[in-house]
mmCIF file of all heavy atoms in Angstrom:
data_model
loop_
_atom_site.group_PDB
_atom_site.id
_atom_site.type_symbol
_atom_site.label_atom_id
_atom_site.label_comp_id
_atom_site.label_asym_id
_atom_site.label_seq_id
_atom_site.Cartn_x
_atom_site.Cartn_y
_atom_site.Cartn_z
ATOM 1 N N LEU A 159 13.699 -2.635 11.380
ATOM 2 C CA LEU A 159 14.855 -3.491 11.138
ATOM 3 C C LEU A 159 16.074 -2.623 10.863
ATOM 4 O O LEU A 159 16.052 -1.769 9.965
ATOM 5 C CB LEU A 159 14.594 -4.419 9.939
ATOM 6 C CG LEU A 159 13.314 -5.256 10.024
ATOM 7 C CD1 LEU A 159 13.156 -6.097 8.769
ATOM 8 C CD2 LEU A 159 13.309 -6.132 11.269
ATOM 9 N N CYS A 160 17.115 -2.817 11.643
ATOM 10 C CA CYS A 160 18.344 -2.035 11.512
ATOM 11 C C CYS A 160 19.528 -2.994 11.379
ATOM 12 O O CYS A 160 19.658 -3.927 12.185
ATOM 13 C CB CYS A 160 18.555 -1.132 12.726
ATOM 14 S SG CYS A 160 17.173 -0.010 13.075
ATOM 15 N N TYR A 161 20.371 -2.765 10.393
ATOM 16 C CA TYR A 161 21.555 -3.592 10.156
ATOM 17 C C TYR A 161 22.790 -2.699 10.154
ATOM 18 O O TYR A 161 22.767 -1.601 9.592
ATOM 19 C CB TYR A 161 21.487 -4.291 8.801
ATOM 20 C CG TYR A 161 20.293 -5.190 8.598
ATOM 21 C CD1 TYR A 161 19.089 -4.690 8.107
ATOM 22 C CD2 TYR A 161 20.371 -6.549 8.869
ATOM 23 C CE1 TYR A 161 17.998 -5.516 7.896
ATOM 24 C CE2 TYR A 161 19.285 -7.388 8.658
ATOM 25 C CZ TYR A 161 18.099 -6.858 8.174
ATOM 26 O OH TYR A 161 17.019 -7.685 7.963
ATOM 27 N N ARG A 162 23.874 -3.200 10.749
ATOM 28 C CA ARG A 162 25.136 -2.467 10.638
ATOM 29 C C ARG A 162 25.762 -2.706 9.276
ATOM 30 O O ARG A 162 26.082 -1.758 8.568
ATOM 31 C CB ARG A 162 26.103 -2.873 11.750
ATOM 32 C CG ARG A 162 27.448 -2.142 11.669
ATOM 33 C CD ARG A 162 28.301 -2.422 12.877
ATOM 34 N NE ARG A 162 27.721 -1.825 14.072
ATOM 35 C CZ ARG A 162 27.861 -0.545 14.398
ATOM 36 N NH1 ARG A 162 28.548 0.273 13.625
ATOM 37 N NH2 ARG A 162 27.323 -0.070 15.504
ATOM 38 N N ARG A 163 25.989 -3.937 8.908
ATOM 39 C CA ARG A 163 26.458 -4.306 7.570
ATOM 40 C C ARG A 163 25.618 -5.500 7.136
ATOM 41 O O ARG A 163 25.945 -6.640 7.444
ATOM 42 C CB ARG A 163 27.951 -4.660 7.584
ATOM 43 C CG ARG A 163 28.878 -3.502 7.861
ATOM 44 C CD ARG A 163 28.856 -2.473 6.720
ATOM 45 N NE ARG A 163 29.236 -3.059 5.449
ATOM 46 C CZ ARG A 163 30.485 -3.153 5.020
ATOM 47 N NH1 ARG A 163 31.480 -2.727 5.776
ATOM 48 N NH2 ARG A 163 30.747 -3.682 3.834
ATOM 49 N N LYS A 164 24.540 -5.235 6.448
ATOM 50 C CA LYS A 164 23.543 -6.275 6.217
ATOM 51 C C LYS A 164 24.052 -7.436 5.366
ATOM 52 O O LYS A 164 23.489 -8.523 5.406
ATOM 53 C CB LYS A 164 22.295 -5.670 5.565
ATOM 54 C CG LYS A 164 22.520 -5.061 4.188
ATOM 55 C CD LYS A 164 21.242 -4.393 3.703
ATOM 56 C CE LYS A 164 21.400 -3.788 2.329
ATOM 57 N NZ LYS A 164 20.171 -3.099 1.885
ATOM 58 N N ASP A 165 25.123 -7.226 4.615
ATOM 59 C CA ASP A 165 25.637 -8.299 3.758
ATOM 60 C C ASP A 165 26.773 -9.079 4.405
ATOM 61 O O ASP A 165 27.344 -9.965 3.771
ATOM 62 C CB ASP A 165 26.123 -7.712 2.426
ATOM 63 C CG ASP A 165 27.246 -6.712 2.614
ATOM 64 O OD1 ASP A 165 27.266 -6.018 3.645
ATOM 65 O OD2 ASP A 165 28.118 -6.619 1.727
ATOM 66 N N ARG A 166 27.119 -8.765 5.649
ATOM 67 C CA ARG A 166 28.286 -9.377 6.286
ATOM 68 C C ARG A 166 27.876 -10.384 7.359
ATOM 69 O O ARG A 166 27.078 -10.087 8.248
ATOM 70 C CB ARG A 166 29.182 -8.301 6.895
ATOM 71 C CG ARG A 166 30.443 -8.857 7.562
ATOM 72 C CD ARG A 166 31.403 -7.758 7.912
ATOM 73 N NE ARG A 166 31.935 -7.117 6.711
ATOM 74 C CZ ARG A 166 32.815 -6.126 6.726
ATOM 75 N NH1 ARG A 166 33.263 -5.660 7.893
ATOM 76 N NH2 ARG A 166 33.249 -5.601 5.599
ATOM 77 N N PHE A 167 28.456 -11.581 7.283
ATOM 78 C CA PHE A 167 28.214 -12.645 8.253
ATOM 79 C C PHE A 167 28.676 -12.209 9.642
ATOM 80 O O PHE A 167 29.760 -11.673 9.807
ATOM 81 C CB PHE A 167 28.968 -13.900 7.801
ATOM 82 C CG PHE A 167 28.820 -15.090 8.699
ATOM 83 C CD1 PHE A 167 27.579 -15.670 8.932
ATOM 84 C CD2 PHE A 167 29.931 -15.644 9.316
ATOM 85 C CE1 PHE A 167 27.442 -16.778 9.750
ATOM 86 C CE2 PHE A 167 29.819 -16.753 10.139
ATOM 87 C CZ PHE A 167 28.563 -17.314 10.361
ATOM 88 N N ARG A 168 27.820 -12.416 10.642
ATOM 89 C CA ARG A 168 28.066 -12.104 12.047
ATOM 90 C C ARG A 168 28.181 -10.599 12.318
ATOM 91 O O ARG A 168 28.795 -10.201 13.307
ATOM 92 C CB ARG A 168 29.302 -12.832 12.587
ATOM 93 C CG ARG A 168 29.254 -14.337 12.469
ATOM 94 C CD ARG A 168 27.999 -14.932 13.090
ATOM 95 N NE ARG A 168 27.933 -14.693 14.531
ATOM 96 C CZ ARG A 168 26.813 -14.789 15.236
ATOM 97 N NH1 ARG A 168 25.662 -15.051 14.658
ATOM 98 N NH2 ARG A 168 26.831 -14.593 16.540
ATOM 99 N N SER A 169 27.596 -9.778 11.473
ATOM 100 C CA SER A 169 27.493 -8.358 11.804
ATOM 101 C C SER A 169 26.256 -8.148 12.680
ATOM 102 O O SER A 169 25.463 -9.071 12.897
ATOM 103 C CB SER A 169 27.399 -7.515 10.528
ATOM 104 O OG SER A 169 26.257 -7.870 9.772
ATOM 105 N N GLU A 170 26.082 -6.943 13.181
ATOM 106 C CA GLU A 170 25.007 -6.673 14.134
ATOM 107 C C GLU A 170 23.699 -6.361 13.413
ATOM 108 O O GLU A 170 23.688 -5.691 12.381
ATOM 109 C CB GLU A 170 25.394 -5.502 15.031
ATOM 110 C CG GLU A 170 26.616 -5.780 15.902
ATOM 111 C CD GLU A 170 27.093 -4.546 16.627
ATOM 112 O OE1 GLU A 170 26.420 -3.495 16.524
ATOM 113 O OE2 GLU A 170 28.124 -4.617 17.303
ATOM 114 N N ALA A 171 22.609 -6.847 13.969
ATOM 115 C CA ALA A 171 21.273 -6.566 13.449
ATOM 116 C C ALA A 171 20.316 -6.401 14.619
ATOM 117 O O ALA A 171 20.519 -6.961 15.697
ATOM 118 C CB ALA A 171 20.799 -7.688 12.527
ATOM 119 N N LEU A 172 19.276 -5.610 14.400
ATOM 120 C CA LEU A 172 18.302 -5.321 15.447
ATOM 121 C C LEU A 172 16.904 -5.361 14.861
ATOM 122 O O LEU A 172 16.646 -4.780 13.802
ATOM 123 C CB LEU A 172 18.571 -3.943 16.055
ATOM 124 C CG LEU A 172 17.497 -3.375 16.995
ATOM 125 C CD1 LEU A 172 17.411 -4.191 18.276
ATOM 126 C CD2 LEU A 172 17.775 -1.910 17.312
ATOM 127 N N ALA A 173 15.993 -6.055 15.528
ATOM 128 C CA ALA A 173 14.566 -6.002 15.208
ATOM 129 C C ALA A 173 13.861 -5.355 16.399
ATOM 130 O O ALA A 173 13.850 -5.922 17.497
ATOM 131 C CB ALA A 173 14.013 -7.402 14.947
ATOM 132 N N LEU A 174 13.318 -4.174 16.184
ATOM 133 C CA LEU A 174 12.733 -3.373 17.260
ATOM 134 C C LEU A 174 11.222 -3.318 17.088
ATOM 135 O O LEU A 174 10.717 -2.757 16.109
ATOM 136 C CB LEU A 174 13.333 -1.963 17.231
ATOM 137 C CG LEU A 174 12.830 -0.980 18.283
ATOM 138 C CD1 LEU A 174 13.185 -1.461 19.687
ATOM 139 C CD2 LEU A 174 13.429 0.406 18.036
ATOM 140 N N VAL A 175 10.492 -3.905 18.032
ATOM 141 C CA VAL A 175 9.028 -3.928 17.982
ATOM 142 C C VAL A 175 8.495 -2.651 18.625
ATOM 143 O O VAL A 175 8.791 -2.352 19.785
ATOM 144 C CB VAL A 175 8.479 -5.164 18.711
ATOM 145 C CG1 VAL A 175 6.947 -5.161 18.694
ATOM 146 C CG2 VAL A 175 9.017 -6.444 18.072
ATOM 147 N N GLY A 176 7.726 -1.903 17.853
ATOM 148 C CA GLY A 176 7.189 -0.644 18.352
ATOM 149 C C GLY A 176 5.798 -0.789 18.958
ATOM 150 O O GLY A 176 5.218 -1.885 19.014
ATOM 151 N N ALA A 177 5.257 0.323 19.395
ATOM 152 C CA ALA A 177 3.909 0.335 19.968
ATOM 153 C C ALA A 177 2.877 0.169 18.854
ATOM 154 O O ALA A 177 3.050 0.702 17.748
ATOM 155 C CB ALA A 177 3.664 1.640 20.710
ATOM 156 N N PRO A 178 1.787 -0.565 19.097
ATOM 157 C CA PRO A 178 0.754 -0.734 18.069
ATOM 158 C C PRO A 178 0.193 0.603 17.607
ATOM 159 O O PRO A 178 0.084 1.561 18.381
ATOM 160 C CB PRO A 178 -0.313 -1.575 18.782
ATOM 161 C CG PRO A 178 0.413 -2.278 19.880
ATOM 162 C CD PRO A 178 1.488 -1.326 20.325
ATOM 163 N N VAL A 179 -0.152 0.649 16.332
ATOM 164 C CA VAL A 179 -0.757 1.856 15.756
ATOM 165 C C VAL A 179 -2.185 1.994 16.280
ATOM 166 O O VAL A 179 -2.943 1.010 16.336
ATOM 167 C CB VAL A 179 -0.766 1.755 14.215
ATOM 168 C CG1 VAL A 179 -1.458 2.967 13.606
ATOM 169 C CG2 VAL A 179 0.653 1.613 13.680
ATOM 170 N N ARG A 180 -2.563 3.194 16.657
ATOM 171 C CA ARG A 180 -3.932 3.440 17.132
ATOM 172 C C ARG A 180 -4.813 3.800 15.942
ATOM 173 O O ARG A 180 -4.569 4.776 15.238
ATOM 174 C CB ARG A 180 -3.935 4.568 18.164
ATOM 175 C CG ARG A 180 -3.105 4.270 19.413
ATOM 176 C CD ARG A 180 -3.242 5.354 20.460
ATOM 177 N NE ARG A 180 -4.613 5.472 20.947
ATOM 178 C CZ ARG A 180 -5.007 6.353 21.863
ATOM 179 N NH1 ARG A 180 -4.138 7.205 22.388
ATOM 180 N NH2 ARG A 180 -6.267 6.393 22.259
ATOM 181 N N TRP A 181 -5.850 3.000 15.719
ATOM 182 C CA TRP A 181 -6.739 3.273 14.578
ATOM 183 C C TRP A 181 -8.191 2.889 14.864
ATOM 184 O O TRP A 181 -8.988 2.711 13.935
ATOM 185 C CB TRP A 181 -6.227 2.566 13.323
ATOM 186 C CG TRP A 181 -6.164 1.060 13.389
ATOM 187 C CD1 TRP A 181 -5.303 0.309 14.117
ATOM 188 C CD2 TRP A 181 -6.997 0.143 12.681
ATOM 189 N NE1 TRP A 181 -5.539 -1.028 13.918
ATOM 190 C CE2 TRP A 181 -6.561 -1.164 13.031
ATOM 191 C CE3 TRP A 181 -8.052 0.269 11.779
ATOM 192 C CZ2 TRP A 181 -7.153 -2.313 12.523
ATOM 193 C CZ3 TRP A 181 -8.641 -0.873 11.258
ATOM 194 C CH2 TRP A 181 -8.198 -2.144 11.627
ATOM 195 N N ASP A 182 -8.542 2.807 16.145
ATOM 196 C CA ASP A 182 -9.926 2.472 16.501
ATOM 197 C C ASP A 182 -10.919 3.436 15.864
ATOM 198 O O ASP A 182 -12.030 3.030 15.476
ATOM 199 C CB ASP A 182 -10.099 2.503 18.034
ATOM 200 C CG ASP A 182 -9.146 1.559 18.750
ATOM 201 O OD1 ASP A 182 -7.928 1.822 18.683
ATOM 202 O OD2 ASP A 182 -9.615 0.583 19.351
ATOM 203 N N ASP A 183 -10.546 4.710 15.751
ATOM 204 C CA ASP A 183 -11.456 5.706 15.205
ATOM 205 C C ASP A 183 -11.664 5.554 13.708
ATOM 206 O O ASP A 183 -12.588 6.156 13.140
ATOM 207 C CB ASP A 183 -10.927 7.111 15.504
ATOM 208 C CG ASP A 183 -9.528 7.337 14.963
ATOM 209 O OD1 ASP A 183 -8.697 6.413 15.075
ATOM 210 O OD2 ASP A 183 -9.249 8.423 14.421
ATOM 211 N N LEU A 184 -10.822 4.738 13.055
ATOM 212 C CA LEU A 184 -10.929 4.553 11.604
ATOM 213 C C LEU A 184 -11.507 3.198 11.227
ATOM 214 O O LEU A 184 -11.805 2.957 10.050
ATOM 215 C CB LEU A 184 -9.547 4.691 10.955
ATOM 216 C CG LEU A 184 -8.774 5.982 11.206
ATOM 217 C CD1 LEU A 184 -7.369 5.883 10.615
ATOM 218 C CD2 LEU A 184 -9.523 7.169 10.619
ATOM 219 N N ALA A 185 -11.652 2.302 12.186
ATOM 220 C CA ALA A 185 -11.966 0.904 11.882
ATOM 221 C C ALA A 185 -13.285 0.735 11.145
ATOM 222 O O ALA A 185 -13.440 -0.206 10.356
ATOM 223 C CB ALA A 185 -11.981 0.083 13.170
ATOM 224 N N ASP A 186 -14.246 1.621 11.376
ATOM 225 C CA ASP A 186 -15.562 1.475 10.736
ATOM 226 C C ASP A 186 -15.619 2.118 9.358
ATOM 227 O O ASP A 186 -16.646 2.005 8.676
ATOM 228 C CB ASP A 186 -16.648 2.109 11.625
ATOM 229 C CG ASP A 186 -16.815 1.365 12.945
ATOM 230 O OD1 ASP A 186 -16.525 0.155 12.974
ATOM 231 O OD2 ASP A 186 -17.216 2.008 13.943
ATOM 232 N N ALA A 187 -14.562 2.776 8.940
ATOM 233 C CA ALA A 187 -14.606 3.522 7.680
ATOM 234 C C ALA A 187 -14.595 2.599 6.466
ATOM 235 O O ALA A 187 -15.233 2.876 5.451
ATOM 236 C CB ALA A 187 -13.419 4.490 7.607
ATOM 237 N N GLY A 188 -13.826 1.487 6.539
ATOM 238 C CA GLY A 188 -13.732 0.598 5.390
ATOM 239 C C GLY A 188 -12.809 1.147 4.325
ATOM 240 O O GLY A 188 -12.370 2.302 4.371
ATOM 241 N N THR A 189 -12.530 0.319 3.337
ATOM 242 C CA THR A 189 -11.602 0.733 2.277
ATOM 243 C C THR A 189 -12.247 1.683 1.283
ATOM 244 O O THR A 189 -11.554 2.243 0.429
ATOM 245 C CB THR A 189 -11.081 -0.508 1.529
ATOM 246 O OG1 THR A 189 -12.195 -1.249 1.004
ATOM 247 C CG2 THR A 189 -10.283 -1.401 2.453
ATOM 248 N N GLY A 190 -13.565 1.873 1.377
ATOM 249 C CA GLY A 190 -14.239 2.787 0.460
ATOM 250 C C GLY A 190 -14.052 4.241 0.812
ATOM 251 O O GLY A 190 -14.501 5.120 0.066
#
Side-chain angles (χ1 to χ4, degrees):
L159 306 178
C160 304
Y161 301 87
R162 179 172 292 279
R163 292 293 301 272
K164 63 185 181 182
D165 61 328
R166 181 169 294 181
F167 180 61
R168 302 306 297 162
S169 60
E170 297 172 5
L172 169 67
L174 180 63
V175 178
V179 177
R180 299 185 63 180
W181 62 289
D182 303 66
D183 57 319
L184 304 174
D186 294 333
T189 57

